[in-house]
Amino acid sequence: MQIRRSPKVYDVCIVGSGAGGGMAAYVLAQAGADVVMLEAGRDWDNARDGTMLRWPYQSPRRGASTKERPFGEFDACIGGWEIEGEPYTRAPGTEFDWWRARMVGGRTNHWGRISLRFGPDDFRRKSLDGLGDDWPITYDDVKPWYDAVDRLVGIFGSNEGLPNAPDGIFQPPPKPRCYELLIKQSADRLGVTCIPSRLSILTRPLNGRPACHYCGQCSRGCAVNANFSSTGVLIAPAKRTGKLTVLTGAMAREVTTDRAGLATGVSYVDKAAGRDEHVRARIVVLAASALETARLLLNSRSSRFPQGLANASGTVGKYITDTTGTDVWGYVPKLADHVPHNEDGVGGCHIYMPWWLDNRKLDFPRGYHIEPWGGLHVPAYGFMGGIERYPSGGGYGRQLKNDYRRWYGTLVGFSGRGEQIPSEHCYAELDPSAVDRWGIPVLRFHWKWTDYEHLQVKHMQETFRALIDDMGGTVFPEMPTAEQGYGIATGGRIIHELGGARMGADPRTSVVDANCRAHEVKNLFVADGGVFVSQADKNPTWTIMALAMRTASHIADEMKRGAL
Ligand SMILES: Cc1cc2nc3c(=O)[nH]c(=O)nc-3n(C[C@H](O)[C@H](O)[C@H](O)COP(=O)(O)OP(=O)(O)OC[C@H]3O[C@@H](n4cnc5c(N)ncnc54)[C@H](O)[C@@H]3O)c2cc1C
Ligand code: SF4
């Protein structure tokens, strides 16, 4: 194969431009390093490409999904569960779905922006209950980086002093909406902790970005960058330093190494030209998302690294997890016939429920948090979950219109998001024969939930039903049975995949050290969710960003003192 080699040698090559890659690029470019970034997807600009203020009636589809936009045509994510020419496979009996973004900023263009710190217990779970593994670092090691991310990116919330849901440097949270107040009352009655949510959306101007104007459309890409996306908040200022070169449509194939076993750069496919290229760099940072990073390492095989790069331990692709999840929803008659009012708010819930119970008194380990939803959002294709399910709902003409007006805003739902224990049953490996359109071997997934996760999800179902019942509502879906896994979402469906290049003090059982540097390759680092040792009952991205900032600052320090 003819490969074109770049004459220039960059200081750092970063693969991937999402939460982890964007943060690494920001820190390293600010520190004066000459950085090149490879991004498999296309360019994206929130102001140019977002659809923040588009009305559903401006499209014949009314916002329904398209092949490229499975979450709806206005959604700011190009990618999906299936990408043409980029397959993945599942071992027999495995159910697993993999969401991939293909654009500058990755999934941070449309993510939910629920921005939670892991707590002190989340870094030492094995010591507490004997399951999984401890991290080689503690909450105190990461705290200053969480603080720095809060200050740089901006987050709203409230300081509550909860033991394992740490406080942060918060901007004021928006007030709860009407249905959220009703949820809060029921949560208080049932003893479920319910506090203002913690979202990376500005309620006050910060670092040259304006405060949110409450249009409620965060998942479409914020044209004024009042919410966090890697694209608008990290990559744009990194580019302005003149130190960051972003190559789009550049699909990394493998990390190249020299005879000494050091990384020399990354070979990639220029997708538009259909040509193989090679970019040279003194340091390589992988941030292609947890599972793509594992794939890249497994594909970077050589006589020196026959099992793949940084994989002497055989743990690349292992100990992968996703968040557990299930949903319950119903309608609450108390919310019918409301006085019309504007409660758009931010593009996300204004309240949330962190884990509030003690597992020693329960039949499953580890917790979950609750993300409520509902309210008076812009109606779009499929809204309200089917009018025929409401009392007297459906029909034609005037009755249909009246029913929509009456019941609009009465739908309330709860999504549980919990911690899965890493196990030997869940891993990714290279498929022995399948390749993508460029001939790059693809991942094959193995996945199995255990009773730990099933019983946790059963508890979610029961809790959410009790909440809707207490609100005087009627739940729509039947209680799922044990045979239905109590309604647990298929692995990968919550889109919080982590692990596959986990951190550890022992090179025999882990891929990277406490600074996210590969044990075996001194100038190779990982800056995405691949390094996570355990999942926690929190969404992972704030921790991905804190760790990426910590790793990139470590690289900058090492470069300054000539050690890299
Ligand atoms: C709908 C949705 C809602 C979410 N909500 C939340 C939330 O509320 N809170 C939370 O914490 N998390 C949430 N997440 C998860 C969050 O988006 C991810 O944790 C986060 O984006 C991961 O960052 P990353 O940098 O690892 O990967 P990504 O953001 O996926 O970025 C990876 C980038 O690498 C590129 N890439 C991949 N392979 C290659 C290759 N071989 N060569 C070159 N480039 C490559 C991709 O094109 C992509 O742009 C949500 C995700 C989705 C989809
Ligand atoms: S709700 Fe606020 S942050 Fe979200 S898109 Fe609208 S203005 Fe931007």
Side-chain angles (χ1 to χ4, degrees), residues 99-390:
W99 177 280
R100 289 160 295 167
R102 287 287 178 264
M103 62 198 298
V104 170
R107 289 171 284 173
T108 68
N109 292 294
H110 76 150
W111 69 311
R113 296 176 177 85
I114 299 171
S115 302
L116 306 174
R117 298 180 179 209
F118 280 23
D121 292 353
D122 297 321
F123 292 93
R124 53 183 191 116
R125 283 292 175 191
K126 185 174 186 184
S127 299
L128 296 175
D129 66 12
L131 299 171
D133 267 297
D134 287 346
W135 293 57
I137 53 176
T138 65
Y139 176 73
D140 288 340
D141 293 318
V142 193
K143 182 182 180 302
W145 304 100
Y146 281 129
D147 290 350
V149 176
D150 288 0
R151 286 197 184 96
L152 173 69
V153 171
I155 176 172
F156 70 71
S158 57
N159 288 323
E160 303 282 343
L162 298 169
N164 198 44
D167 294 333
I169 300 165
F170 295 130
Q171 297 193 340
K175 283 185 191 156
R177 301 163 169 111
C178 178
Y179 81 97
E180 292 168 341
L181 287 169
L182 213 57
I183 291 174
K184 166 83 175 137
Q185 285 169 7
S186 287
D188 287 350
R189 279 195 290 270
L190 298 183
V192 180
T193 307
C194 182
I195 61 173
S197 56
R198 296 170 174 182
L199 302 181
S200 43
I201 297 171
L202 301 183
T203 54
R204 298 285 181 277
L206 181 77
N207 300 331
R209 292 160 52 213
C212 170
H213 54 251
Y214 301 129
C215 74
Q217 300 299 339
C218 286
S219 62
R220 296 176 174 205
C222 181
V224 298
N225 288 317
N227 63 22
F228 171 72
S229 70
S230 173
T231 328
V233 179
L234 299 174
I235 292 179
K239 272 180 161 171
R240 286 197 291 272
T241 64
K243 303 297 286 182
L244 173 65
T245 306
V246 180
L247 303 180
T248 51
M251 180 75 188
R253 184 188 284 279
E254 66 174 293
V255 180
T256 52
T257 47
D258 62 14
R259 285 213 190 106
L262 288 176
T264 54
V266 180
S267 71
Y268 67 96
V269 182
D270 175 338
K271 287 163 58 177
R275 207 170 42 216
D276 269 73
E277 304 270 355
H278 181 257
V279 67
R280 295 197 287 164
R282 293 179 191 90
I283 297 161
V284 172
V285 177
L286 299 183
S289 77
L291 302 177
E292 286 281 8
T293 285
R295 179 183 175 207
L296 261 168
L297 289 171
L298 291 170
N299 274 321
S300 303
R301 282 173 290 189
S302 60
S303 51
R304 191 184 174 112
F305 300 107
Q307 305 192 80
L309 196 57
N311 194 24
S313 65
T315 52
V316 171
K318 303 278 168 61
Y319 305 110
I320 60 174
T321 52
D322 186 22
T323 293
T324 58
T326 196
D327 308 314
V328 176
W329 63 98
Y331 79 97
V332 176
K334 265 185 222 167
L335 292 164
D337 299 321
H338 61 268
V339 180
H341 61 283
N342 179 346
E343 58 169 31
D344 288 347
V346 302
C349 205
H350 291 185
I351 55 166
Y352 100 112
M353 289 106 132
W355 178 235
W356 70 104
L357 293 171
D358 180 352
N359 289 94
R360 285 170 299 186
K361 299 179 186 148
L362 297 164
D363 60 358
F364 58 90
R366 316 289 170 88
Y368 61 87
H369 73 266
I370 310 173
E371 300 173 9
W373 37 277
L376 303 166
H377 298 294
V378 178
Y381 178 85
F383 86 116
M384 288 173 63
I387 189 71
E388 71 284 358
R389 294 171 119 161
Y390 295 75

Side-chain angles (χ1 to χ4, degrees), residues 20-161:
M23 182 59 84
Y26 178 87
V27 171
L28 288 163
Q30 298 283 343
D34 204 0
V35 182
V36 63
M37 172 179 270
L38 303 181
E39 168 49 56
R42 63 166 233 209
D43 190 24
W44 178 270
D45 178 88
N46 284 319
R48 185 191 62 206
D49 303 317
T51 54
M52 188 171 83
L53 300 179
R54 186 94 40 94
W55 289 101
Y57 58 73
Q58 288 178 277
S59 158
R61 279 190 219 87
R62 304 287 191 266
S65 62
T66 65
K67 207 168 165 214
E68 236 195 1
R69 310 268 179 107
F71 284 179
E73 65 180 315
F74 302 133
D75 184 55
C77 186
I78 299 161
W81 300 108
E82 308 291 337
I83 301 178
E84 215 173 313
E86 298 193 48
Y88 54 92
T89 64
R90 304 164 181 97
T94 281
E95 285 185 20
F96 182 83
D97 295 327
W98 188 17
W99 177 280
R100 289 160 295 167
R102 287 287 178 264
M103 62 198 298
V104 170
R107 289 171 284 173
T108 68
N109 292 294
H110 76 150
W111 69 311
R113 296 176 177 85
I114 299 171
S115 302
L116 306 174
R117 298 180 179 209
F118 280 23
D121 292 353
D122 297 321
F123 292 93
R124 53 183 191 116
R125 283 292 175 191
K126 185 174 186 184
S127 299
L128 296 175
D129 66 12
L131 299 171
D133 267 297
D134 287 346
W135 293 57
I137 53 176
T138 65
Y139 176 73
D140 288 340
D141 293 318
V142 193
K143 182 182 180 302
W145 304 100
Y146 281 129
D147 290 350
V149 176
D150 288 0
R151 286 197 184 96
L152 173 69
V153 171
I155 176 172
F156 70 71
S158 57
N159 288 323
E160 303 282 343

